[in-house]
Amino acid sequence: MSLDMFCYQCSQTVGGKGCTVNGVCGKNALVARLQDNLVITTRGMSAYLYHARELGYTDPEMDAFLERVLYSTFTNVNFDADNFIQLALEAGRLNVKTMQLLKEALIATYGEPEPAEVRTGTVNGKGIVATGHGLKALEALLKQTEGTGINVYTHAELLPAHGYPGLRKYPHLAGNLGKSWTDQKELFTKYPVAILGTSNCVLIPKPEYQDRMFTTGPARLPGVTHIEGYDYRPVIDKALTLPDLADEPQDTVLTTGFSKSVVLSLKDKLKGLVEAGKIRHIFLVGGCDSPHRRLGYYREFVKELPQDTIVLTLGCAKFRFNDLDLGDIEGVPRLIDLGQCNDSIVAVEIALALAEMFGVGVNELPLTLVLAWMEQKAIAIFWSLLSLGIKGIYLGPNLPAWVNDDILKVLQDSYDVRLIGEPKEDIEKMLA
């Protein structure tokens, strides 16, 4: 990938020495990269705001900030690198508020998540697979498929839907198929089901299933029928024409649905186990999956963790290891799935509560964050963590493309940001 960036001032590519088109713009590469970062960050915020608005929740402060970002990045008004760093931190702060808004909307609509065991594999009958992040779209699909004999399966970031009482109540929510968004082409080819893509993380389909795939909401794909609104009769009609799935359960059972209140109901036990030395460390291992070969690091990392450690996880990177049976520590699960990537706010709230309970700052907790990839939502969450003063975050497999040496130095000097290395060596450093 080229490290050249796009100059929003004069609509040209910015090389390593900055934009010098006709000597007019004069913007340097650092500003260009920071602008890219801000645009990517606010894209992530906008995705969360979209889903909150679907459920009737909005916030004028976020709307005003997005206006300011677009004006600062796409018009010739701001060339100040320091100001763009401050804007990124402000975006992080407001993304915390955005995730809180979405969390409030989801709980008010579907109830607070509860731990759930989720079947994998198929049951006999017609099927629809829903993928993406759109819980409202999934709810509409479940309502409209009642009594049709069609089973609905989640995929990727819709796995956490099984934790919400308002969605789990549908008996034909049959389980979860596949892993993260990266397996779509293989998975959707394998199973003769209708497919509904509800948000980002949908891939251009293979011809084998293009005619039985549909999109809704913000998702659109070439050659795929798009459904405006929430009337999914075309998806249902297609599913009814397809062969029945076989009854093929798999041995793997996934767990999800650990909300803030569920985890904090264990806080006294957690405190006792930490003070007794039975829980040495807590790791948050999550983020975005990708086809990058080094994403295998996260599975090896979790497999190598000592038995006296706990793993919190969220986002689709958890599919790298959430099939592992890590057991428990005196009734406290060693693998705790907090939900979708926007449920990073749950992790933040848990960390703040634990810090208060132990009477220390968040950075003094026996807690390490190990984050995967840096897609637009992950970038927004990353700046949210930095805005809260959280330090010592491990990132991988590579730094985002907008990070040059100058930006990396700021991240390292101010926030002790680190790149992942080898799993065993990293674990030794973290536990030290």
Side-chain angles (χ1 to χ4, degrees):
M1 177 184 292
S2 171
L3 292 182
D4 289 348
M5 295 293 157
F6 185 74
C7 177
Y8 299 113
Q9 259 66 31
C10 58
S11 302
Q12 298 290 333
T13 298
V14 180
K17 295 182 180 180
C19 179
T20 56
V21 177
N22 297 323
V24 174
C25 178
K27 183 179 70 171
N28 62 43
L30 176 59
V31 170
R33 289 169 184 271
L34 289 172
Q35 285 188 329
D36 283 336
N37 160 63
L38 191 57
V39 170
I40 294 167
T41 299
T42 51
R43 284 177 185 167
M45 286 179 60
S46 297
Y48 297 146
L49 288 170
Y50 177 92
H51 291 300
R53 188 181 292 274
E54 277 189 302
L55 301 174
Y57 285 69
T58 60
D59 190 312
E61 183 182 10
M62 263 78 87
D63 295 340
F65 179 74
L66 293 176
E67 290 172 8
R68 184 147 58 99
V69 168
L70 291 174
Y71 191 33
S72 296
T73 54
F74 287 101
T75 59
N76 190 17
V77 296
N78 191 342
F79 297 85
D80 186 343
D82 290 337
N83 181 251
F84 276 110
I85 292 175
Q86 294 306 311
L87 282 171
L89 289 169
E90 186 176 354
R93 178 185 67 81
L94 287 175
N95 188 57
V96 171
K97 193 176 179 184
T98 297
M99 292 189 293
Q100 288 171 330
L101 182 73
L102 180 53
K103 175 190 165 189
E104 179 186 354
L106 292 171
I107 290 176
T109 306
Y110 306 118
E112 187 157 12
E114 301 167 351
E117 293 187 344
V118 184
R119 294 170 296 183
T120 58
T122 58
V123 295
N124 183 249
K126 310 291 185 184
I128 297 174
V129 173
T131 188
H133 299 73
L135 291 173
K136 180 168 182 176
L138 176 63
E139 179 193 29
L141 181 64
L142 288 168
K143 285 181 178 178
Q144 293 165 33
T145 48
E146 282 189 292
T148 63
I150 297 173
N151 294 307
V152 176
Y153 301 86
T154 57
H155 172 252
E157 282 278 53
L158 279 178
L159 168 66
H162 294 268
Y164 287 96
L167 299 173
R168 192 172 64 244
K169 69 181 183 182
Y170 293 95
H172 60 297
L173 182 59
N176 188 81
L177 292 181
K179 295 181 178 291
S180 78
W181 62 273
T182 62
D183 72 1
Q184 287 178 40
K185 295 190 177 184
E186 178 182 356
L187 182 78
F188 297 164
T189 300
K190 177 180 179 181
Y191 292 107
V193 294
I195 305 145
L196 181 63
T198 66
S199 71
N200 59 313
C201 302
V202 287
L203 300 177
I204 294 175
K206 295 174 69 174
E208 289 87 334
Y209 62 85
Q210 180 175 327
D211 68 326
R212 51 186 172 88
M213 185 166 188
F214 301 81
T215 56
T216 189
R220 290 177 184 266
L221 295 170
V224 168
T225 300
H226 181 78
I227 298 174
E228 295 287 355
Y230 300 93
D231 181 357
Y232 298 127
R233 173 53 54 184
V235 187
I236 296 168
D237 290 343
K238 173 58 72 172
L240 291 172
T241 69
L242 298 170
D244 286 4
L245 294 173
D247 189 12
E248 295 180 349
Q250 296 180 2
D251 293 335
T252 301
V253 176
L254 304 177
T255 59
T256 190
F258 287 87
S259 63
K260 173 187 172 182
S261 63
V262 169
V263 176
L264 291 185
S265 71
L266 301 169
K267 68 178 183 179
D268 292 336
K269 177 175 275 192
L270 282 169
K271 183 177 182 182
L273 291 171
V274 170
E275 291 176 341
K278 295 181 179 180
I279 294 179
R280 186 178 6 164
H281 207 81
I282 300 172
F283 294 89
L284 190 150
V285 187
C288 302
D289 195 16
S290 82
H292 196 290
R293 62 179 181 80
R294 284 209 69 206
L295 261 293
Y297 168 97
Y298 295 89
R299 185 176 183 86
E300 291 305 310
F301 180 91
V302 171
K303 287 174 68 175
E304 292 290 340
L305 289 175
Q307 294 295 311
D308 57 357
T309 61
I310 285 177
V311 178
L312 305 177
T313 190
L314 46 82
C316 61
K318 64 172 166 276
F319 284 103
R320 291 283 173 167
F321 52 82
N322 68 341
D323 60 323
L324 297 174
D325 183 2
L326 301 185
D328 65 272
I329 302 174
E330 296 190 11
V332 177
R334 288 194 58 227
L335 180 60
I336 298 175
D337 178 12
L338 303 177
Q340 294 182 331
C341 56
N342 49 279
D343 291 308
S344 297
I345 188 59
V346 177
V348 167
E349 290 171 347
I350 289 170
L352 292 173
L354 292 177
E356 182 179 358
M357 180 177 69
F358 284 107
V360 298
V362 173
N363 291 314
E364 283 70 55
L365 284 171
L367 170 69
T368 302
L369 279 61
V370 188
L371 306 182
W373 200 28
M374 285 284 106
E375 187 255 11
Q376 56 198 19
K377 294 178 181 177
I379 291 290
I381 293 166
F382 175 61
W383 282 104
S384 292
L385 297 172
L386 297 188
S387 74
L388 293 167
I390 294 175
K391 298 185 177 182
I393 298 171
Y394 282 75
L395 300 179
N398 297 311
L399 284 169
W402 51 265
V403 176
N404 64 4
D405 290 342
D406 292 330
I407 297 172
L408 178 59
K409 188 175 188 313
V410 172
L411 295 176
Q412 289 176 327
D413 292 349
S414 300
Y415 300 101
D416 193 23
V417 171
R418 309 172 187 188
L419 271 175
I420 62 169
E422 295 301 322
K424 288 185 179 180
E425 295 175 5
D426 286 346
I427 291 169
E428 289 177 3
K429 294 175 186 176
M430 296 169 189
L431 292 178

